[in-house]
Amino acid sequence: GQQVMQIPQYQHVQEGEDFTTYCNSSTTLSNIQWYKQRPGGHPVFLIQLVKSGEVKKQKRLTFQFGEAKKNSSLHITATQTTDVGTYFCAGQHSGGSNYKLTFGKGTLLTVNP
Amino acid sequence: GAGVSQTPSNKVTEKGKYVELRCDPISGHTALYWYRQSLGQGPEFLIYFQGTGAADDSGLPNDRFFAVRPEGSVSTLKIQRTERGDSAMYLCASSTSPYSASNTGELFFGEGSRLTVL
């Protein structure tokens, strides 16, 4: 079936270090979303990318969508303890329904103060 | 309410029992989704409602799982003859219609119902 692979599975950083998580799909995506889930919490929407090569920024977070629309990344500059949580990418596959999201397994980020 | 509400927050049941999980979406959201999340995994799609109808139930694992949304608002996920493998967090999400020009793609998730089957 359609899958979205996400790496790394875990990432531990010192506060102030940068962090990046990567997402790959074997098939073209119509769009990709990113969610953050705090420990014990529920997924919270961060952003949606639609266009090939798109780059969006939210304060210290930078999101990219690959030119082929098969991969994406989330980069956090100068991590803070409030960034702790699991970051999920979720893709909608081209030619499929425009409501069904396929989530990656997520990257768990821990930050040492 | 302001957000998606799910009840119960925790449910412990015995193998073979019947379980109902309830979701109250954000007012005005016509689209409602059920996802299941196991430990260390991402949410897995179960079913999508647009209004009262189940537009896509392809993610339901087998015929023990069923969901309804009779009035286009509250939805109930029903699990018959529960098995230990059904233990997971069941997440409900709502959104504006994905076919609407104003839709941003954002899914608003509830806090989830954690189901434990002993």
Side-chain angles (χ1 to χ4, degrees), chain A residues 9 33 35 37 40-45 48 88 92 97-106, chain B residues 33 35 37 40-45 48 55-56 58 91 98-99 104-107 109-111:
Chain A
Q9 191 173 359
Q33 299 181 12
Y35 288 80
Q37 186 172 25
H42 59 278
V44 175
F45 177 84
Q48 176 171 270
F88 292 99
Q92 286 186 344
S97 54
N98 63 341
Y99 50 79
K100 185 184 292 186
L101 287 174
T102 301
F103 281 78
K105 289 190 174 183
Chain B
Y33 314 77
Y35 281 80
Q37 186 176 27
Q41 303 293 316
E44 175 192 17
F45 172 83
Y48 158 67
D56 185 344
S58 62
L91 293 166
Y99 302 98
T104 63
E106 179 174 0
L107 295 189
F109 282 90
E111 295 288 347

Side-chain angles (χ1 to χ4, degrees), chain B residues 38-111:
Chain B
S38 300
L39 200 61
Q41 303 293 316
E44 175 192 17
F45 172 83
L46 295 178
I47 188 169
Y48 158 67
F49 287 89
Q50 180 59 41
T52 59
D56 185 344
D57 64 357
S58 62
L60 295 178
N62 51 61
D63 62 6
R64 295 187 297 105
F65 289 75
F66 189 70
V68 295
R69 193 186 186 198
E71 298 180 357
S73 179
V74 170
S75 175
T76 304
L77 178 65
K78 308 180 180 192
I79 310 174
Q80 297 178 321
R81 304 183 304 279
T82 52
E83 300 177 356
R84 291 193 181 89
D86 299 335
S87 296
M89 177 70 83
Y90 288 81
L91 293 166
C92 177
S94 71
S95 73
T96 57
S97 170
Y99 302 98
S100 166
S102 62
N103 178 262
T104 63
E106 179 174 0
L107 295 189
F108 294 82
F109 282 90
E111 295 288 347

Side-chain angles (χ1 to χ4, degrees), chain A residues 18-49:
Chain A
D18 292 356
F19 159 77
T20 305
T21 174
Y22 300 90
C23 191
N24 283 285
S25 170
S26 57
T27 60
T28 304
L29 301 170
S30 57
N31 64 72
I32 194 158
Q33 299 181 12
W34 286 89
Y35 288 80
K36 177 183 178 181
Q37 186 172 25
R38 294 182 186 275
H42 59 278
V44 175
F45 177 84
L46 294 176
I47 208 159
Q48 176 171 270
L49 304 172

